[in-house]
Amino acid sequence: MSEQELAELHSGIDRNLGKKKKIYVPYMSDHGHALVGAFRNQGLTATMLPKPDSDCLEYGRRHSEGGECLPFVVTTGQLIKLIQEDPEFKPDKSAFFMPTSSGPCRFGQYHTAQKLILEHLDKPVEIISLNAYNSYTAEGLGLDFRNLAWQGIVAVDFLQKILWETRPYERETGAADSVYEESLEVIKSGMAEDGTSGLIEALKGIGEKFESIETEPGDRPLIGVVGEIYVRANELCNCNLVRLIEDLGGEVRIAPMAEWLYYTNRKKKQDGFRNRDFFKYLKGWAKDLVQHYGERKVKSNFSDYLDESDLSEPPVGELVDNSHPYIPEDYRGEPVLEIGKAIDYAKRGADGIITVTPFSCMPGSMIISVSDLVKKDHQNIPWLNLTFDAQQSTNIKTRLEPFIFQAKKFKEKHSSSS
Ligand code: SF4
């Protein structure tokens, strides 16, 4: 679907909307808190739906036909659960937020299918959107919103890294989670009340709080998780993968959310150049500059608390180059990035790679199809492809156990040879 067609189908967002309607943001990951903070800062009434549960899956399945992707089922289920179970919900005073994309998969159709389902239920709730290949430009809200949302998303990326770096070693179970949850709230309210200044103020002290958590020494294998953006970030969909790995003795990093947004800028610049739309090209270029500036601002608040490898992600161009021998850049979308990031993890000394994809995911199949080759070319790093269909399958743990064992052996071998 072209950008033009998408624009015609989907409502944009402007400041007046929040005065008339409450915006509901379906929970994908904790980055949604940053988005809600940025919406509220613009005077919009926004709230994030609770983390999805098995009821959402049930609602989603009941209103889909079986061939849809898991993220579609879960987000649809969240919307329907709200409509069916919240007596306060008013369709004409509400709007659902759903980003979209025109890439080579079904994501661009979610929005349209959800509109049809809501109409069928006689609850024609407005769905509002930002589009990936317009690099999530929110013209109606302006630069302040976009920059603030971006900085908040980057802040949550860093916050998650501190959590994953600390939690496996905490002496008191739950200590790291509690600092993390509290920090998320402080970030959201700081952003809502005072924009970027509020966000930066909120970040002060977070590192110290994590540092004050009592930890014990340990030598766990580091596992890099890459894959489809929704499922890798959403605990319900990935059966709480990070916890499972930590329980089995590993330490985890998941590819950051920011990399996808940098990638969409890159595509915007390339599209502008290819179509001789130099205004678009320049806009992509300027956006990149502003985003790097915003990232540096946020990052400086974490620099005393995170290792260099967690502080500095490679430029998207490097990920694209990493991926090039296996998936060329002309294949548009996540596989390029995710294979590039898996290789980046391997180069930075990770001891194992896990790819996560929803069952029947089209880009996910591409990632899986080249994984053997990538593994062989990178010292046969332990590699596990996991596919999720939200049946909460017990065999994930059974597959993880030998994988973590291999990752420990890989780590021992490489520490003794270095
Ligand atoms: S990336 Fe995969 S799961 Fe996500 S929308 Fe596309 S096909 Fe579906």
Side-chain angles (χ1 to χ4, degrees):
M1 196 177 283
S2 71
E3 270 179 26
Q4 183 59 34
E5 287 166 321
L6 278 167
E8 281 162 13
L9 269 172
H10 308 145
S11 310
I13 306 173
D14 64 42
R15 286 193 176 83
N16 292 326
L17 178 78
K19 296 188 186 110
K20 296 180 278 183
K21 296 192 175 188
K22 182 172 183 176
I23 300 173
Y24 290 92
V25 178
Y27 181 94
M28 167 185 170
S29 70
D30 287 338
H31 300 82
H33 288 286
L35 205 55
V36 168
F39 278 138
R40 288 184 184 166
N41 181 258
Q42 293 292 310
L44 294 141
T45 311
T47 191
M48 190 157 77
L49 293 176
K51 288 188 180 184
D53 56 13
S54 52
D55 291 347
C56 297
L57 274 177
E58 186 51 41
Y59 278 120
R61 287 208 187 97
R62 222 181 286 160
H63 292 274
S64 47
E65 292 179 346
E68 297 88 343
C69 316
L70 180 55
F72 173 84
V73 174
V74 176
T75 46
T76 306
Q78 287 183 72
L79 308 186
I80 297 175
K81 182 174 177 176
L82 175 76
I83 290 174
Q84 306 283 31
E85 296 187 5
D86 184 347
E88 311 277 292
F89 181 78
K90 296 190 179 62
D92 54 332
K93 298 263 180 241
S94 307
F96 291 136
F97 174 75
M98 181 63 57
T100 189
S101 165
S102 51
C105 80
R106 306 176 188 115
F107 187 41
Q109 307 298 324
Y110 281 19
H111 199 122
T112 315
Q114 283 165 342
K115 243 181 173 164
L116 292 174
I117 291 171
L118 294 172
E119 277 167 19
H120 178 72
L121 290 171
D122 205 18
K123 307 276 185 201
V125 185
E126 185 176 359
I127 298 186
I128 56 173
S129 193
L130 304 175
N131 175 15
Y133 289 115
N134 198 16
S135 65
Y136 299 110
T137 302
E139 264 114 15
L141 293 180
L143 283 177
D144 287 353
F145 166 79
R146 198 171 67 194
N147 293 341
L148 181 60
W150 160 254
Q151 289 168 2
I153 287 169
V154 171
V156 176
D157 273 344
F158 283 122
L159 182 65
Q160 291 189 321
K161 286 177 181 172
I162 296 205
L163 173 72
W164 298 327
E165 194 181 71
T166 312
R167 188 169 61 194
Y169 307 97
E170 67 189 3
R171 281 190 197 278
E172 187 197 336
T173 308
D177 280 335
S178 128
V179 173
Y180 173 78
E181 295 294 340
E182 188 191 311
S183 306
L184 270 181
E185 282 306 314
V186 177
I187 286 174
K188 180 166 62 187
S189 53
M191 290 173 69
E193 280 159 28
D194 208 6
T196 299
S197 316
L199 168 65
I200 300 299
E201 199 49 42
L203 297 180
K204 289 182 186 155
I206 289 181
E208 267 176 37
K209 282 192 191 146
F210 273 98
E211 262 201 345
S212 69
I213 294 171
E214 262 194 74
T215 53
E216 51 200 23
D219 193 21
R220 291 165 172 253
L222 183 68
I223 310 300
V225 175
V226 299
E228 197 272 340
I229 196 162
Y230 189 98
V231 171
R232 77 179 190 227
N234 188 281
E235 293 164 2
L236 175 78
C237 290
N238 65 35
C239 302
N240 224 332
L241 182 64
V242 177
R243 302 287 180 138
L244 282 175
I245 297 171
E246 288 176 359
D247 289 348
L248 291 170
E251 184 183 328
V252 183
R253 294 293 181 277
I254 300 184
M257 197 65 71
E259 78 177 17
W260 173 251
L261 298 167
Y262 277 130
Y263 175 75
T264 63
N265 281 353
R266 179 179 172 91
K267 299 323 281 178
K268 185 170 183 163
K269 281 189 285 182
Q270 287 176 341
D271 289 348
F273 192 76
R274 197 170 295 138
N275 301 328
R276 298 180 181 274
D277 181 348
F278 291 106
F279 184 58
K280 184 172 187 173
Y281 172 80
L282 280 176
K283 267 169 86 179
W285 180 80
K287 193 170 172 190
D288 223 24
L289 269 186
V290 172
Q291 289 190 337
H292 277 106
Y293 173 73
E295 184 184 347
R296 283 197 296 278
K297 237 171 152 174
V298 171
K299 178 172 144 178
S300 61
N301 294 279
F302 292 90
S303 52
D304 291 340
Y305 308 100
L306 282 170
D307 292 343
E308 186 48 36
S309 61
D310 280 328
L311 278 173
S312 301
E313 292 291 332
V316 163
E318 193 176 316
L319 300 182
V320 170
D321 290 345
N322 285 346
S323 168
H324 186 74
Y326 312 96
I327 306 178
E329 191 176 5
D330 288 344
Y331 183 93
R332 204 177 167 109
E334 281 183 311
V336 173
L337 265 190
E338 298 315 303
I339 287 298
K341 184 61 191 163
I343 294 170
D344 179 63
Y345 277 135
K347 285 181 180 168
R348 289 171 182 234
D351 306 297
I353 302 292
I354 296 183
T355 71
V356 294
T357 53
F359 182 65
S360 91
C361 169
M362 297 142 84
S365 313
M366 175 70 91
I367 295 173
I368 292 171
S369 68
V370 298
S371 59
D372 264 358
L373 272 178
V374 181
K375 172 186 158 117
K376 275 192 202 116
D377 290 347
H378 293 87
Q379 301 177 300
N380 266 319
I381 185 169
W383 189 295
L384 182 63
N385 294 318
L386 289 176
T387 304
F388 293 90
D389 60 2
Q391 300 293 339
Q392 310 304 316
S393 163
T394 46
N395 81 2
I396 289 181
K397 193 166 173 220
T398 316
R399 295 186 66 199
L400 278 174
E401 281 167 348
F403 168 78
I404 296 290
F405 177 78
Q406 286 170 18
K408 284 179 180 164
K409 291 285 158 210
F410 186 86
K411 183 177 174 65
E412 277 168 24
K413 187 172 156 202
H414 287 88
S415 338
S416 59
S417 62
S418 60

